[in-house]
Amino acid sequence: MEYFDLISISTSGMAIMNPTTPEKVVSAGEAAGLSADDRVVEFGCGYGTILALWGKRFGIAGRGLDIREDACRRAVALLEKEGLSPRIGIDLADVRDETPDRLYDCAACIGSSHIWGGFAGALEAMSAWLEPDGRIVIGERYWARDSVPPEFAREWRDVLTEYEIFQTARDAGFDVAAIFRASPDDWDAYESGNWQGLLAWLRDHPGDADADEVREYLYRIQDEYAAYGREYMGFAVYVLVPS
């Protein structure tokens, strides 16, 4: 089974595919100064929830891009349901192959900087889509402790300390204007949502040829979270503004 198929299964019951909340997403939009005059592009937009929240709260327009066809279908359906589809479009695309169709007032990427190999690569790529005064809203993992067990650190080579996140943002020409950190409850809800999606699939597909692989993935992410993730890994949504 392909990796993206596992992601679609595990996140099937989620609205936001990261350890954050609608309230924090809206607060990040407020800190970024979003308004009805703004156009926003979101990379790795998932199920369109963040664009929908900002469309309803601030009246933004723009587009979302995602590599998963099922995610794009669900995002289009959500935006149509919320009456936002005339203003916000969804494109099925590998964003690494995309070039800017125009310049945007804000670029967002929540939990998907791995598309470009990590935080620094994401800032460089997203900046090419921005107006000179454009802002970035980016959700990123970070090391919550100074000392991380080597066996876990090796699995997450692109994760930075929060000090490094701030310095990398400055090197890219941005200041950190706001931070909205995931709480332990946010993490538990996110991880539990993944487990529930996988367990639901296993219940609905008894005897499926991929069942062993899905169950192995379930146990792997559970063990990783119990052994390391909850103690050593943080997540936050950062609002970046031009320096």
Side-chain angles (χ1 to χ4, degrees):
M1 181 174 287
E2 297 291 333
Y3 171 75
F4 286 123
D5 294 329
L6 289 169
I7 296 301
S8 292
I9 290 169
S10 66
T11 62
S12 60
M14 298 182 186
I16 300 175
M17 298 167 49
N18 287 281
T20 190
T21 65
E23 294 78 13
K24 290 174 183 177
V25 167
V26 170
S27 293
E30 291 174 343
L34 294 183
S35 72
D37 295 326
D38 286 335
R39 293 186 65 88
V40 176
V41 59
E42 184 185 4
F43 303 100
C45 67
Y47 302 129
T49 304
I50 290 167
L51 287 170
L53 287 166
W54 288 348
K56 290 173 66 178
R57 174 64 177 82
F58 306 110
I60 59 102
R63 65 188 291 215
L65 301 95
D66 202 281
I67 199 170
R68 293 185 299 131
E69 186 173 358
D70 62 295
C72 289
R73 286 197 303 268
R74 186 168 153 187
V76 167
L78 174 63
L79 293 169
E80 288 178 349
K81 177 183 176 183
E82 299 292 346
L84 298 167
S85 53
R87 298 202 311 273
I88 303 173
I90 300 294
D91 294 308
L92 176 65
D94 184 336
V95 302
R96 295 171 299 179
D97 299 329
E98 292 291 301
T99 55
D101 59 321
R102 58 160 297 155
L103 296 182
Y104 289 82
D105 302 292
C106 179
C109 180
I110 310 301
S112 294
S113 68
H114 56 82
I115 295 171
W116 301 284
F119 188 69
L123 296 189
E124 180 180 3
M126 294 166 74
S127 294
W129 293 67
L130 287 176
E131 296 280 5
D133 61 348
R135 295 87 75 198
I136 286 177
V137 179
I138 185 166
E140 191 72 6
R141 294 173 185 259
Y142 63 88
W143 293 125
R145 291 177 175 269
D146 293 333
S147 179
V148 181
E151 63 272 20
F152 186 53
R154 282 192 292 267
E155 294 295 319
W156 297 92
R157 296 180 184 272
D158 59 340
V159 174
L160 305 177
T161 65
E162 202 159 49
Y163 170 81
E164 291 171 322
I165 286 175
F166 277 61
Q167 189 59 56
T168 301
R170 292 170 188 154
D171 291 343
F174 293 92
D175 287 324
V176 179
I179 179 172
F180 301 91
R181 201 180 305 280
S183 70
D185 287 345
D186 294 337
W187 267 114
D188 287 346
Y190 167 68
E191 295 291 344
S192 297
N194 278 289
W195 307 340
Q196 290 162 21
L198 294 162
L199 287 168
W201 187 93
L202 288 167
R203 287 194 301 269
D204 294 341
H205 297 80
D208 190 284
D210 291 319
D212 287 345
E213 185 177 355
V214 171
R215 189 173 294 278
E216 187 278 333
Y217 178 70
L218 166 66
Y219 291 165
R220 177 161 59 85
I221 63 174
Q222 285 183 327
D223 290 348
E224 182 183 72
Y225 186 57
Y228 303 109
R230 200 165 192 270
E231 181 175 358
Y232 294 101
M233 189 76 79
F235 182 88
V237 176
Y238 301 89
V239 178
L240 310 183
V241 298
S243 297

